[in-house]
């Protein structure tokens, strides 16, 4: 089993520690190969909004030396783990910048067929509040990527770190981490294909209807959909 981890912060603090608990729990059930990517180191440049990936080719992105190796790792992985601490009640800017670079992967553009069978685990920690808002953007983007099943866990520590957490609260969250990691592991291992999320299916059919009416048959998106045979079938 291959898992690509997108770490939303370079700081090896609470979110990183919680991620290690996930990794250790998964490893207790079987062999897992983890690939850790850290933001912003592995995606240091801000998306320019140049639209080249949408209008011409993602390989022409001015930051392709970063985006393409990460995309290859994501494509080859059986599942993804995306983590973020809470920064001012939201996901880190590095996480947002990461997803900005992959807008072409949205189901309304050129979603990868592999995404429709892929599972993901979203993890967020905070000393106070904000995990739900921090995870919301990530979950929305992954649904638009076509990811088949998304697990999420937010940890409101009410402490500076795990060591200073109230013991009962720490035990409660460690149990949740291990339990979610176990369910995630066995779901990935099973290769079960869940029903698509409603928004994923809705946007796929909406975009297919639009592209059918589009006379610009040479458009990048339309050529891709023709290659995937998505006008006659669907990827989920």
């Amino acid at each position: 089993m291959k898992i690509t981890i997108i770490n939303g912060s370079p700081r090896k603090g609470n979110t990183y520690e919680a991620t290690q608990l996930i990794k250790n729990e998964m490893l207790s059930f079987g062999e897992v190969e983890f690939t850790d990517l850290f933001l912003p180191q592995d995606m240091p440049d801000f998306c320019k909004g140049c639209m080249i990936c949408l209008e011409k080719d993602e390989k022409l992105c001015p930051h392709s030396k970063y985006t393409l190796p990460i995309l290859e790792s994501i494509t080859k992985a059986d599942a993804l783990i995306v983590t973020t601490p809470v920064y001012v009640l939201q996901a880190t800017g590095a996480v947002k910048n990461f997803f900005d670079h992959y807008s072409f992967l949205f189901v309304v553009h050129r979603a990868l067929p592999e995404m429709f069978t892929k599972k993901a685990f979203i993890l967020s920690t905070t000393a106070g509040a904000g995990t739900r808002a921090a995870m919301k953007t990530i979950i929305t983007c992954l649904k638009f990527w076509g990811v088949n099943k998304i697990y999420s866990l937010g940890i409101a520590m009410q402490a500076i770190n795990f060591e200073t957490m109230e013991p009962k609260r720490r035990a409660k969250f460690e149990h949740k981490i291990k339990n979610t990691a176990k369910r995630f592991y066995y779901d990935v291992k099973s290769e079960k294909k869940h029903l698509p999320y409603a928004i994923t299916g809705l946007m796929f059919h909406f975009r297919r209807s639009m592209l059918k009416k589009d006379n610009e048959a040479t458009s990048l998106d339309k050529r891709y959909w023709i290659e995937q045979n998505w006008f006659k079938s669907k990827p989920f």
Side-chain angles (χ1 to χ4, degrees):
M1 183 184 299
K2 294 183 178 181
I3 308 290
T4 292
I5 304 177
I6 308 297
N7 294 279
S9 168
R11 182 175 178 270
K12 295 184 177 180
N14 299 327
T15 306
Y16 181 80
E17 186 173 342
T19 304
Q20 303 319 297
L21 291 175
I22 293 171
K23 292 168 72 172
N24 291 336
E25 187 67 10
M26 293 183 71
L27 286 168
S28 72
F29 300 118
E31 186 176 343
V32 186
E33 179 185 332
F34 294 103
T35 298
D36 275 282
L37 301 171
F38 289 88
L39 303 176
Q41 293 98 316
D42 290 307
M43 185 76 79
D45 295 326
F46 279 102
C47 174
K48 295 178 177 293
C50 62
M51 303 285 286
I52 287 177
C53 64
L54 293 172
E55 297 176 349
K56 295 183 179 180
D57 193 325
E58 64 271 16
K59 295 182 180 64
L60 299 177
C61 172
H63 308 144
S64 60
K65 66 179 179 180
Y66 304 113
T67 60
L68 295 181
I70 292 175
L71 182 59
E72 182 179 7
S73 179
I74 290 172
T75 304
K76 290 182 177 180
D78 297 300
L80 308 175
I81 296 175
V82 184
T83 77
T84 183
V86 173
Y87 285 8
V88 288
L89 300 178
Q90 257 298 345
T92 66
V95 167
K96 179 61 169 63
N97 180 55
F98 169 81
F99 282 104
D100 287 347
H101 278 89
Y102 295 107
S103 59
F104 64 92
L105 289 180
F106 274 25
V107 69
V108 294
H109 294 297
R110 303 190 305 282
L112 294 174
E114 294 89 345
M115 289 298 177
F116 296 98
T117 59
K118 213 175 291 293
K119 315 289 171 48
F121 187 155
I122 315 305
L123 172 71
S124 181
T125 73
T126 179
T131 59
R132 183 174 296 183
M135 293 188 294
K136 183 178 180 181
T137 297
I138 299 171
I139 292 170
T140 299
C141 286
L142 292 182
K143 286 181 179 179
F144 271 74
W145 279 12
V147 171
N148 182 241
K149 176 71 174 179
I150 303 169
Y151 293 79
S152 62
L153 180 61
I155 303 174
M157 301 176 67
Q158 296 184 6
I160 299 300
N161 51 46
F162 278 93
E163 288 66 34
T164 58
M165 284 182 76
E166 195 273 327
K168 287 185 178 180
R169 189 173 187 83
R170 177 173 177 174
K172 172 186 175 182
F173 278 113
E174 287 183 349
H175 175 74
K176 281 188 174 183
I177 291 170
K178 292 180 179 180
N179 183 55
T180 308
K182 179 179 180 179
R183 292 191 293 116
F184 179 63
Y185 173 88
Y186 281 108
D187 194 8
V188 175
K189 185 178 180 181
S190 73
E191 298 183 352
K192 177 180 179 181
K193 194 169 182 180
H194 300 272
L195 290 173
Y197 289 100
I199 188 63
T200 305
L202 178 66
M203 296 312 297
F204 175 85
H205 290 292
F206 173 73
R207 181 59 168 164
R208 181 160 68 175
S209 176
M210 287 183 62
L211 287 174
K212 280 182 177 180
K213 299 174 183 177
D214 185 3
N215 293 322
E216 293 295 327
T218 58
S219 71
L220 188 58
D221 287 355
K222 188 158 188 174
R223 290 202 309 270
Y224 183 82
W225 281 58
I226 291 172
E227 291 169 4
Q228 298 298 328
N229 197 35
W230 285 350
F231 290 110
K232 297 179 180 180
S233 63
K234 55 186 179 182
F236 45 79

